[in-house]
C-alpha cells in the first residue's frame, strides 16, 4: 500500500518537527510514484501543512534526476527542511546534492527514502526509509501468475483482488 506507506513516512517527518517538506517523485506516468505522492499530500493535509509551489519536483526515478531536483529545492525561496524521496535511489542522489551544496544531513536538511534498498543502511548517513518486502511481493505475484496459468484465469476466484503486503518504517540517521 504505497499510499499508506508514504503517508506514514511523511507523518514521521512531521513528527520530527518539520513543516517545510519537499517531495522528489518520479515521472507522471508512474503509478507507483503517483500513489506515494498522494500519500505525501494526504499526510501534509492531515497535519494542516502547506505545500509551496515548487516543493514537489520530478526526479525522473534516477540518481541524476534527484540531484537536479534537490538543487531546485535547495534554491527555492523557502527551501524545505526535509525532503521525502519516493525511491531510495533518488534519496541517494538527494543526499549527494545536499552534501555538495555545503549542507549537512540531518542537521540542515533531513531526508526520507522509500524501498529500503540494500545500500540504505550503509549510505552516509544511513537512510531513514520505508521497507517494502520486495521479495515477498515478487513471490506472491509469481504464485498468482503460476496459479492462473495452471488453472486458467477464469477459474481463479479473486485473482484481480489486490493483496496488501505490510510496510515498515526504518528509522536511521538521515
Amino acid at each position: 500500500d504505497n499510499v499508506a506507506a508514504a503517508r506514514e513516512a511523511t507523518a514521521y517527518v512531521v513528527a520530527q518537527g518539520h513543516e517545510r517538506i519537499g517531495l522528489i517523485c518520479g515521472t507522471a506516468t508512474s503509478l507507483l510514484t503517483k500513489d506515494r505522492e498522494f500519500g505525501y499530500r494526504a499526510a501534509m493535509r492531515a497535519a494542516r501543512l502547506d505545500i509551496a509551489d515548487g516543493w514537489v519536483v520530478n526526479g525522473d526515478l534516477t540518481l541524476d534526476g534527484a540531484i537536479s531536483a534537490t538543487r531546485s529545492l535547495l534554491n527555492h525561496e523557502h527551501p524545505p527542511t526535509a525532503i521525502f524521496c519516493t525511491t531510495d535511489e533518488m534519496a541517494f542522489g538527494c543526499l549527494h546534492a545536499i552534501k555538495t551544496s555545503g549542507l549537512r544531513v540531518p542537521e540542515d536538511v533531513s531526508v526520507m527514502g522509500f524501498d529500503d534498498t540494500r545500500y540504505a543502511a550503509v549510505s552516509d548517513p544511513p537512510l531513514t526509509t520505508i521497507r517494502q518486502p520486495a521479495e515477498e511481493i515478487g513471490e506472491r505475484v509469481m504464485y498468482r501468475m503460476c496459479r492462473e496459468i495452471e488453472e486458467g484465469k477464469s477459474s481463479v476466484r479473486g485473482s484481480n483482488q489486490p493483496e496488501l503486503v505490510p510496510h515498515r518504517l526504518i528509522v536511521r540517521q538521515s
Side-chain angles (χ1 to χ4, degrees):
D1 187 344
N2 284 298
V3 174
R7 193 171 42 239
E8 182 178 340
T10 307
Y12 173 80
V13 174
V14 170
Q16 300 310 300
H18 294 281
E19 295 181 354
R20 297 191 331 251
I21 304 166
L23 178 74
I24 299 178
C25 55
T27 59
T29 58
S30 169
L31 180 59
L32 185 83
T33 57
K34 280 184 189 178
D35 284 350
R36 293 174 186 182
E37 181 180 345
F38 186 83
Y40 156 82
R41 289 182 181 280
M44 293 293 281
R45 262 190 320 277
R48 300 182 195 284
L49 295 175
D50 291 328
I51 301 170
D53 288 339
W55 277 2
V56 176
V57 290
N58 182 350
D60 291 324
L61 298 174
T62 67
L63 200 63
D64 288 337
I67 290 170
S68 176
T70 302
R71 288 181 181 145
S72 173
L73 287 169
L74 296 177
N75 290 324
H76 192 276
E77 180 182 1
H78 301 287
T81 61
I83 301 173
F84 173 31
C85 301
T86 59
T87 70
D88 282 357
E89 181 174 355
M90 290 193 300
F92 300 143
C94 180
L95 289 171
H96 176 76
I98 291 169
K99 287 181 178 185
T100 58
S101 73
L103 297 173
R104 299 166 299 154
V105 177
E107 294 85 357
D108 300 315
V109 183
S110 292
V111 176
M112 169 68 73
F114 202 111
D115 292 322
D116 196 26
T117 57
R118 70 161 121 183
Y119 300 113
V122 296
S123 64
D124 182 26
L127 184 63
T128 298
T129 187
I130 293 290
R131 177 175 291 159
Q132 292 276 54
E135 189 173 317
E136 181 181 352
I137 292 169
E139 287 173 359
R140 288 184 185 199
V141 167
M142 207 49 195
Y143 172 77
R144 288 177 106 179
M145 284 176 42
C146 289
R147 201 173 76 202
E148 287 180 7
I149 289 168
E150 288 174 1
E151 299 176 17
K153 187 170 185 160
S154 61
S155 66
V156 180
R157 292 180 191 224
S159 63
N160 291 328
Q161 296 301 316
E163 285 184 64
L164 297 182
V165 180
H167 64 274
R168 238 176 77 210
L169 174 65
I170 306 298
V171 177
R172 294 193 180 105
Q173 298 169 12
S174 67

